[in-house]
Short mmCIF file of all heavy atoms in Angstrom, two decimals:
data_model
loop_
_atom_site.label_atom_id
_atom_site.label_comp_id
_atom_site.label_asym_id
_atom_site.label_seq_id
_atom_site.Cartn_x
_atom_site.Cartn_y
_atom_site.Cartn_z
N GLY A 436 -79.73 12.99 -95.73
CA GLY A 436 -79.25 14.35 -96.01
C GLY A 436 -80.28 15.10 -96.84
O GLY A 436 -80.63 16.24 -96.53
N GLU A 437 -80.75 14.48 -97.95
CA GLU A 437 -81.79 15.10 -98.79
C GLU A 437 -83.12 15.23 -98.02
O GLU A 437 -83.80 16.22 -98.11
CB GLU A 437 -81.99 14.26 -100.06
CG GLU A 437 -80.98 14.49 -101.15
CD GLU A 437 -79.61 13.87 -100.86
OE1 GLU A 437 -79.54 13.05 -99.95
OE2 GLU A 437 -78.66 14.22 -101.56
N TYR A 438 -83.42 14.20 -97.22
CA TYR A 438 -84.69 14.19 -96.49
C TYR A 438 -84.76 15.38 -95.52
O TYR A 438 -85.73 16.16 -95.50
CB TYR A 438 -84.78 12.88 -95.71
CG TYR A 438 -86.02 12.79 -94.80
CD1 TYR A 438 -87.23 12.34 -95.26
CD2 TYR A 438 -85.90 13.16 -93.45
CE1 TYR A 438 -88.35 12.28 -94.40
CE2 TYR A 438 -86.99 13.10 -92.61
CZ TYR A 438 -88.21 12.66 -93.08
OH TYR A 438 -89.29 12.60 -92.24
N LEU A 439 -83.70 15.58 -94.72
CA LEU A 439 -83.70 16.66 -93.74
C LEU A 439 -83.68 18.02 -94.40
O LEU A 439 -84.41 18.96 -93.96
CB LEU A 439 -82.50 16.51 -92.80
CG LEU A 439 -82.61 15.33 -91.81
CD1 LEU A 439 -81.25 15.07 -91.15
CD2 LEU A 439 -83.64 15.65 -90.72
N ASN A 440 -82.91 18.16 -95.47
CA ASN A 440 -82.87 19.46 -96.18
C ASN A 440 -84.21 19.78 -96.74
O ASN A 440 -84.68 20.95 -96.71
CB ASN A 440 -81.78 19.41 -97.28
CG ASN A 440 -80.66 20.37 -97.00
OD1 ASN A 440 -80.55 20.95 -95.91
ND2 ASN A 440 -79.81 20.60 -98.00
N ALA A 441 -84.90 18.78 -97.33
CA ALA A 441 -86.21 19.00 -97.93
C ALA A 441 -87.24 19.38 -96.86
O ALA A 441 -88.11 20.25 -97.03
CB ALA A 441 -86.68 17.74 -98.70
N LYS A 442 -87.15 18.69 -95.69
CA LYS A 442 -88.06 19.03 -94.59
C LYS A 442 -87.90 20.47 -94.14
O LYS A 442 -88.89 21.22 -93.90
CB LYS A 442 -87.80 18.07 -93.43
CG LYS A 442 -88.46 16.72 -93.50
CD LYS A 442 -89.90 16.82 -93.03
CE LYS A 442 -90.56 15.48 -92.81
NZ LYS A 442 -91.93 15.62 -92.31
N LEU A 443 -86.66 20.91 -93.96
CA LEU A 443 -86.40 22.28 -93.50
C LEU A 443 -86.86 23.30 -94.55
O LEU A 443 -87.49 24.30 -94.19
CB LEU A 443 -84.90 22.45 -93.20
CG LEU A 443 -84.36 21.80 -91.94
CD1 LEU A 443 -82.84 21.85 -91.92
CD2 LEU A 443 -84.94 22.52 -90.71
N LEU A 444 -86.53 23.03 -95.80
CA LEU A 444 -86.91 23.99 -96.84
C LEU A 444 -88.42 24.07 -96.99
O LEU A 444 -88.98 25.18 -97.17
CB LEU A 444 -86.25 23.60 -98.19
CG LEU A 444 -86.49 24.62 -99.34
CD1 LEU A 444 -85.96 25.98 -98.98
CD2 LEU A 444 -85.86 24.12 -100.65
N ALA A 445 -89.10 22.91 -96.95
CA ALA A 445 -90.59 22.94 -97.04
C ALA A 445 -91.19 23.76 -95.93
O ALA A 445 -92.14 24.56 -96.15
CB ALA A 445 -91.10 21.50 -96.99
N LYS A 446 -90.70 23.60 -94.72
CA LYS A 446 -91.22 24.37 -93.55
C LYS A 446 -90.92 25.84 -93.74
O LYS A 446 -91.73 26.72 -93.48
CB LYS A 446 -90.58 23.86 -92.29
CG LYS A 446 -91.13 24.49 -91.02
CD LYS A 446 -92.58 24.14 -90.82
CE LYS A 446 -93.14 24.74 -89.53
NZ LYS A 446 -94.57 24.44 -89.33
N TYR A 447 -89.70 26.15 -94.23
CA TYR A 447 -89.28 27.53 -94.43
C TYR A 447 -90.13 28.22 -95.48
O TYR A 447 -90.45 29.43 -95.39
CB TYR A 447 -87.82 27.55 -94.79
CG TYR A 447 -87.16 28.88 -94.87
CD1 TYR A 447 -87.18 29.78 -93.79
CD2 TYR A 447 -86.54 29.31 -96.06
CE1 TYR A 447 -86.57 31.01 -93.90
CE2 TYR A 447 -85.97 30.57 -96.13
CZ TYR A 447 -85.97 31.42 -95.06
OH TYR A 447 -85.36 32.68 -95.14
N LEU A 448 -90.48 27.47 -96.57
CA LEU A 448 -91.30 28.03 -97.67
C LEU A 448 -92.77 27.98 -97.38
O LEU A 448 -93.58 28.55 -98.11
CB LEU A 448 -90.99 27.28 -98.95
CG LEU A 448 -89.55 27.35 -99.49
CD1 LEU A 448 -89.41 26.44 -100.71
CD2 LEU A 448 -89.14 28.82 -99.82
N ASN A 449 -93.15 27.16 -96.37
CA ASN A 449 -94.55 26.83 -96.13
C ASN A 449 -95.11 26.06 -97.31
O ASN A 449 -96.25 26.28 -97.73
CB ASN A 449 -95.34 28.13 -95.85
CG ASN A 449 -96.68 27.77 -95.16
OD1 ASN A 449 -96.79 26.75 -94.49
ND2 ASN A 449 -97.67 28.65 -95.35
N TYR A 450 -94.29 25.17 -97.88
CA TYR A 450 -94.71 24.27 -98.92
C TYR A 450 -95.00 22.89 -98.32
O TYR A 450 -94.64 22.62 -97.17
CB TYR A 450 -93.58 24.07 -99.98
CG TYR A 450 -93.53 25.15 -101.05
CD1 TYR A 450 -93.95 26.45 -100.80
CD2 TYR A 450 -93.05 24.83 -102.31
CE1 TYR A 450 -93.85 27.41 -101.80
CE2 TYR A 450 -92.95 25.80 -103.30
CZ TYR A 450 -93.38 27.09 -103.03
OH TYR A 450 -93.31 28.02 -104.01
N ASP A 451 -95.70 22.05 -99.11
CA ASP A 451 -95.90 20.67 -98.69
C ASP A 451 -94.57 19.90 -98.80
O ASP A 451 -93.81 20.13 -99.75
CB ASP A 451 -96.95 19.97 -99.51
CG ASP A 451 -98.34 20.51 -99.23
OD1 ASP A 451 -98.58 21.04 -98.11
OD2 ASP A 451 -99.20 20.38 -100.11
N PHE A 452 -94.28 18.98 -97.87
CA PHE A 452 -93.17 18.05 -98.00
C PHE A 452 -93.73 16.73 -98.55
O PHE A 452 -94.66 16.16 -97.99
CB PHE A 452 -92.49 17.81 -96.66
CG PHE A 452 -91.49 16.67 -96.71
CD1 PHE A 452 -90.21 16.84 -97.21
CD2 PHE A 452 -91.87 15.37 -96.27
CE1 PHE A 452 -89.32 15.77 -97.24
CE2 PHE A 452 -90.99 14.34 -96.33
CZ PHE A 452 -89.69 14.52 -96.84
N ILE A 453 -93.17 16.26 -99.66
CA ILE A 453 -93.58 15.00 -100.21
C ILE A 453 -92.31 14.09 -100.33
O ILE A 453 -91.33 14.48 -101.00
CB ILE A 453 -94.26 15.12 -101.61
CG1 ILE A 453 -95.47 16.03 -101.47
CG2 ILE A 453 -94.63 13.78 -102.14
CD1 ILE A 453 -96.18 16.29 -102.78
N ASP A 454 -92.36 12.96 -99.64
CA ASP A 454 -91.18 12.09 -99.59
C ASP A 454 -90.97 11.37 -100.90
O ASP A 454 -91.92 10.81 -101.49
CB ASP A 454 -91.37 11.08 -98.46
CG ASP A 454 -90.06 10.48 -97.99
OD1 ASP A 454 -89.08 10.55 -98.76
OD2 ASP A 454 -89.98 9.96 -96.85
N SER A 455 -89.70 11.34 -101.38
CA SER A 455 -89.35 10.69 -102.64
C SER A 455 -89.67 9.21 -102.65
O SER A 455 -89.87 8.61 -103.69
CB SER A 455 -87.86 10.88 -102.95
OG SER A 455 -87.64 12.22 -103.29
N LYS A 456 -89.70 8.59 -101.44
CA LYS A 456 -89.97 7.14 -101.41
C LYS A 456 -91.38 6.84 -101.84
O LYS A 456 -91.71 5.73 -102.24
CB LYS A 456 -89.73 6.61 -99.99
CG LYS A 456 -90.75 7.01 -98.93
CD LYS A 456 -90.42 6.40 -97.57
CE LYS A 456 -91.44 6.76 -96.52
NZ LYS A 456 -92.80 6.25 -96.81
N ASP A 457 -92.25 7.88 -101.83
CA ASP A 457 -93.62 7.70 -102.31
C ASP A 457 -93.77 8.09 -103.78
O ASP A 457 -94.84 7.88 -104.37
CB ASP A 457 -94.60 8.58 -101.51
CG ASP A 457 -94.57 8.23 -100.03
OD1 ASP A 457 -94.49 7.01 -99.71
OD2 ASP A 457 -94.66 9.15 -99.20
N LEU A 458 -92.71 8.57 -104.39
CA LEU A 458 -92.77 9.04 -105.82
C LEU A 458 -91.94 8.19 -106.77
O LEU A 458 -92.38 7.92 -107.86
CB LEU A 458 -92.31 10.54 -105.85
CG LEU A 458 -93.02 11.55 -104.97
CD1 LEU A 458 -92.40 12.90 -105.17
CD2 LEU A 458 -94.51 11.58 -105.30
N ILE A 459 -90.72 7.90 -106.36
CA ILE A 459 -89.82 7.21 -107.26
C ILE A 459 -89.82 5.73 -106.86
O ILE A 459 -89.41 5.33 -105.77
CB ILE A 459 -88.36 7.80 -107.14
CG1 ILE A 459 -88.38 9.29 -107.26
CG2 ILE A 459 -87.50 7.10 -108.15
CD1 ILE A 459 -88.93 9.81 -108.57
N ILE A 460 -90.26 4.85 -107.79
CA ILE A 460 -90.44 3.43 -107.51
C ILE A 460 -89.39 2.62 -108.27
O ILE A 460 -89.32 2.77 -109.50
CB ILE A 460 -91.85 2.99 -107.89
CG1 ILE A 460 -92.92 3.95 -107.34
CG2 ILE A 460 -92.12 1.54 -107.40
CD1 ILE A 460 -92.89 4.11 -105.84
N PHE A 461 -88.69 1.78 -107.54
CA PHE A 461 -87.69 0.89 -108.22
C PHE A 461 -88.30 -0.50 -108.39
O PHE A 461 -89.09 -0.95 -107.50
CB PHE A 461 -86.45 0.78 -107.30
CG PHE A 461 -85.55 1.99 -107.34
CD1 PHE A 461 -85.87 3.12 -106.58
CD2 PHE A 461 -84.44 2.03 -108.15
CE1 PHE A 461 -85.09 4.23 -106.58
CE2 PHE A 461 -83.64 3.17 -108.16
CZ PHE A 461 -83.93 4.26 -107.39
N ASP A 462 -87.93 -1.18 -109.47
CA ASP A 462 -88.41 -2.56 -109.68
C ASP A 462 -87.45 -3.56 -109.04
O ASP A 462 -86.45 -3.16 -108.35
CB ASP A 462 -88.58 -2.85 -111.17
CG ASP A 462 -87.27 -2.72 -111.97
OD1 ASP A 462 -86.18 -2.82 -111.35
OD2 ASP A 462 -87.33 -2.50 -113.20
#
Side-chain angles (χ1 to χ4, degrees):
E437 279 74 14
Y438 175 87
L439 288 166
N440 244 11
K442 277 279 192 178
L443 286 170
L444 185 60
K446 185 67 177 177
Y447 186 59
L448 298 175
N449 199 24
Y450 276 30
D451 289 336
F452 169 81
I453 301 178
D454 200 340
S455 290
K456 72 181 182 61
D457 300 322
L458 304 178
I459 310 299
I460 312 301
F461 286 81
D462 60 23

